[in-house]
Amino acid sequence: MDSRRSLLVLALLFISFLVYQQWQVDYHSPKPVATEQAQTSNSQGELTANSDLANLAQGKVITLENDVFRLKVNTLGGDVVRSELLKYDAELDSHTPFVLLNDTPEHIYIAQSGLVGKNGIDTKAGRANYQVEGDTFKLADGQNELVVPLVFEKDGVTYRKIFVLKRGEYDVAVNFEIANQSGQAIEVEPYAKLTHTLVESSGSMAMPTYTGGAYSSSETNYKKYSFQDMEEKDLSIQTKAGWVAVLQHYFVSAWIPNQDSTHLLYTSTDKARNLGAIGYRGPVVDIPAGATETITSKLWTGPKLQNQMAEVANHLDLTVDYGWAWFIAKPLFWLLTHIHDLVKNWGLAIIGVTLVVKGLLYPLTKAQYTSMAKMRMLQPKIQEMRERYGEDRQRMSQEMMKLYKEEKVNPLGGCLPILLQMPIFIALYWTFMEAVELRHAPFFGWIQDLSAQDPYFILPILMGGSMFLLQKMSPTPVADPMQQKIMTFMPLIFMVFFLFFPAGLVLYWLVSNLITIAQQQWIYRGLEKKGLHSRKK
């Protein structure tokens, strides 16, 4: 198979991949919901998103801040109603922190937690309104931990909801300390959930992104559960360990309960308010008279930093979703980050990864072009067979296979390497798509954000030019006139696709093409010396 046909195979695989990705967005992402009457409680007897939010305005909002984020907490319920990520700009060079959790009339995305059950303090009648000494709490210079207690007293029981923020970390400990001085035993059940406006996943065919729920259990390391899934069927899974999360491009919020207890993972929807929630409910906690019990949990609200998330909870790093190519993508990301540690520029790191990948694939590339060269050498004999056997295709096929066997030529030798390289490209595609490290990361000159498209389309044009050059360097023309026309326009078709791709991915493809051109010339020159390659056009 000559290089033009190899390119056609690659193009078909590539376009099929993009169509599949768009199909995933269209058929596995949330759809708009119709307004229906809200329920007042779910199957577990817990407050719905509707009732949870009914009286938020009655509490006051306090601020908790460490060096990486600023949290807004409403004392009514102690819910986290806003998180500002101080290390990430909302827009490139805006110098305004990216807002992940937020509570506005247009968009609700908050992290709620509390105590329900027999002696719970969050009921259908209302939420616990905590008291706190101060309005703003900030991690001081030289301080590594910030502890902020919210206090609520009822019927001789003191409930303390304690937030613990640590320097450099996006996970927050949210613990309940319950001191029972009521004179009799009490029972409570902890819960936590992420409430989000029901929205559709965004993105395009080139850059599909997922916005929706996900969870981990003892049976399933990681599984998405979209807002559409929530509308169709409530999630209900009993599990030890695990977590629940809401994902979006580059960022995630997740509740992680005590990993030694058995919890119920669940979802609920409030269509009247266009809200969905994914959460967990813990086991009943018995607190004897005179005793104090502590219930622990963690809230992650921040970027998808794989190493840090892996330390917070098992499988939380899988929210960086590489799809089926994860076993290739993870080593590639490891390589990308280690090269970046050396060169201090993500664009140069991408070039470094490309050099390594192309170097590792060089034996396949050499086999591909060697096979192509041998096939070209046999073209005169094959043409002679066509003239000799005419319409006798069976005889023609037999003679061709005999010729291939005599000359020790594999007719698929040029195609197989392309097929083997496609999973690597897909893995790189998802690596560049999912890596928050590339968000707003500059390269040189006009490329100030490798995660966004080239603003002047220079890289896609150069990439299209490199494909055209690579095509022209393949000396054997395509016999079929229709194939010839398709191949003539293939660089242009790819260039149009890549106009909307992240600049980092286009940079990879461009550098890969340039390396392929250099490797092709090196291989052909070696074959010419051995008499295996003819330069006849």
Side-chain angles (χ1 to χ4, degrees):
M1 180 180 290
D2 61 49
S3 63
R4 295 185 179 186
R5 290 185 181 180
S6 298
L7 184 60
L8 181 59
V9 171
L10 181 60
L12 292 174
L13 289 171
F14 174 70
I15 293 171
S16 298
F17 169 66
L18 292 179
V19 171
Y20 170 75
Q21 290 302 135
Q22 189 62 37
W23 180 84
Q24 288 286 82
V25 171
D26 290 340
Y27 291 95
H28 290 277
S29 62
K31 305 299 179 184
V33 298
T35 299
E36 297 181 7
Q37 182 159 357
Q39 299 176 344
T40 58
S41 63
N42 61 24
S43 60
Q44 288 79 41
E46 185 197 319
L47 305 171
T48 63
N50 182 17
S51 55
D52 283 346
L53 297 171
N55 299 312
L56 278 180
Q58 294 180 5
K60 73 173 182 178
V61 176
I62 63 173
T63 301
L64 316 181
E65 183 177 335
N66 64 4
D67 58 322
V68 296
F69 57 33
R70 181 183 301 119
L71 305 181
K72 300 289 186 178
V73 176
N74 196 301
T75 58
L76 184 67
D79 299 331
V80 182
V81 296
R82 185 178 175 90
S83 62
E84 302 173 11
L85 309 185
L86 305 179
K87 302 294 184 180
Y88 295 84
D89 285 353
E91 302 293 340
L92 182 64
D93 296 329
S94 66
H95 304 295
T96 300
F98 180 85
V99 176
L100 185 54
L101 297 176
N102 202 13
D103 177 24
T104 66
E106 297 79 21
H107 180 76
I108 292 174
Y109 180 16
I110 60 177
Q112 302 174 273
S113 61
L115 300 171
V116 292
K118 181 179 178 181
N119 300 107
I121 53 177
D122 293 327
T123 67
K124 295 176 185 178
R127 307 287 303 282
N129 199 347
Y130 293 92
Q131 302 300 310
V132 60
E133 296 180 358
D135 297 324
T136 302
F137 304 86
K138 185 175 181 179
L139 191 71
D141 293 339
Q143 186 181 8
N144 291 319
E145 185 176 272
L146 176 66
V147 180
V148 181
L150 281 62
V151 182
F152 178 74
E153 296 182 354
K154 180 183 178 181
D155 299 331
V157 182
T158 301
Y159 303 86
R160 302 174 77 234
K161 189 172 187 177
I162 304 170
F163 291 82
V164 183
L165 286 67
K166 294 184 178 181
R167 182 172 297 279
E169 297 184 7
Y170 288 94
D171 60 299
V172 185
V174 183
N175 303 326
F176 285 95
E177 184 182 275
I178 307 160
N180 181 13
Q181 302 299 327
S182 67
Q184 58 185 359
I186 63 172
E187 296 178 0
V188 296
E189 299 173 50
Y191 80 94
K193 63 181 178 179
L194 296 160
T195 300
H196 195 291
T197 299
L198 294 171
V199 296
E200 291 190 35
S201 291
S202 58
S204 63
M205 182 179 288
M207 296 180 63
T209 58
Y210 173 79
T211 300
Y215 69 89
S216 177
S217 70
S218 56
E219 299 294 329
T220 304
N221 291 344
Y222 166 76
K223 186 175 180 62
K224 292 178 180 177
Y225 205 82
S226 69
F227 293 127
Q228 183 181 2
D229 292 332
M230 297 178 195
E231 294 176 70
E232 294 175 354
K233 183 180 180 181
D234 287 340
L235 178 70
S236 181
I237 296 177
Q238 288 281 355
T239 181
K240 190 172 183 178
W243 45 261
V244 293
V246 170
L247 282 58
Q248 65 187 67
H249 198 199
Y250 297 130
F251 304 99
V252 61
S253 293
W255 276 112
I256 304 101
N258 184 322
Q259 299 293 281
D260 296 326
S261 301
T262 299
H263 297 80
L264 173 69
L265 309 185
Y266 73 93
T267 62
S268 63
T269 55
D270 180 352
K271 295 183 179 179
R273 289 180 175 265
N274 197 33
L275 297 173
I278 184 168
Y280 73 83
R281 181 160 177 158
V284 174
V285 178
D286 296 309
I287 308 172
T292 299
E293 291 287 343
T294 300
I295 303 171
T296 62
S297 67
K298 290 183 179 180
L299 170 67
W300 175 284
T301 176
K304 295 179 181 178
L305 299 176
Q306 297 177 57
N307 293 337
Q308 289 190 31
M309 289 191 296
E311 294 178 358
V312 172
N314 289 337
H315 315 304
L316 188 58
D317 59 317
L318 297 183
T319 55
V320 180
D321 192 352
Y322 295 130
W324 63 266
W326 63 268
F327 61 96
I328 303 174
K330 279 186 171 291
L332 288 175
F333 179 76
W334 178 89
L335 178 63
L336 181 70
T337 54
H338 279 71
I339 293 177
H340 175 264
D341 290 340
L342 295 175
V343 299
K344 307 303 181 183
N345 181 288
W346 286 107
L348 292 178
I350 290 173
I351 293 175
V353 167
T354 311
L355 289 169
V356 172
V357 169
K358 295 298 290 185
L360 293 174
L361 294 178
Y362 179 74
L364 288 177
T365 304
K366 185 176 181 180
Q368 175 186 359
Y369 285 111
T370 300
S371 176
M372 289 162 52
K374 290 182 178 180
M375 288 291 292
R376 279 194 289 270
M377 290 178 62
L378 298 180
Q379 287 304 308
K381 293 183 179 180
I382 293 174
Q383 184 60 36
E384 182 182 341
M385 287 181 185
R386 289 196 179 101
E387 296 173 356
R388 182 187 309 171
Y389 299 111
E391 298 300 321
D392 190 349
R393 295 188 177 182
Q394 183 176 357
R395 180 67 185 278
M396 175 69 182
S397 178
Q398 292 174 347
E399 293 297 324
M400 285 182 62
M401 294 306 297
K402 181 180 178 181
L403 177 63
Y404 292 151
K405 185 175 181 180
E406 291 175 351
E407 298 293 336
K408 298 180 180 180
V409 173
N410 181 4
L412 297 178
C415 182
L416 186 59
I418 289 290
L419 296 177
L420 294 177
Q421 291 178 52
M422 194 60 187
I424 296 176
F425 166 74
I426 293 174
L428 283 167
Y429 172 88
W430 282 115
T431 299
F432 296 152
M433 281 287 295
E434 286 287 294
V436 68
E437 289 81 0
L438 296 182
R439 182 181 184 269
H440 295 172
F443 180 37
F444 292 118
W446 74 100
I447 302 296
Q448 294 299 307
D449 185 358
L450 287 165
S451 69
Q453 66 186 50
D454 184 332
Y456 303 113
F457 307 117
I458 295 174
L459 286 180
I461 292 172
L462 291 176
M463 189 278 302
S466 68
M467 288 189 68
F468 180 79
L469 179 61
L470 190 58
Q471 186 183 92
K472 288 299 181 182
M473 290 173 61
S474 302
T476 302
V478 178
D480 185 356
M482 181 57 68
Q483 278 193 25
Q484 182 69 59
K485 290 181 180 179
I486 293 175
M487 296 311 303
T488 300
F489 287 101
M490 195 56 65
L492 179 61
I493 293 171
F494 263 68
M495 185 186 72
V496 171
F497 269 121
F498 275 73
L499 290 176
F500 309 101
F501 270 48
L505 191 64
V506 184
L507 176 63
Y508 162 77
W509 196 290
L510 170 61
V511 175
S512 179
N513 282 349
L514 296 177
I515 296 173
T516 299
I517 291 172
Q519 289 180 335
Q520 184 190 61
Q521 291 303 298
W522 176 268
I523 293 168
Y524 281 173
R525 287 174 184 174
L527 293 175
E528 285 176 351
K529 294 179 181 179
K530 297 178 180 180
L532 293 177
H533 175 50
S534 171
R535 298 186 65 87
K536 293 181 180 180
K537 304 276 181 139

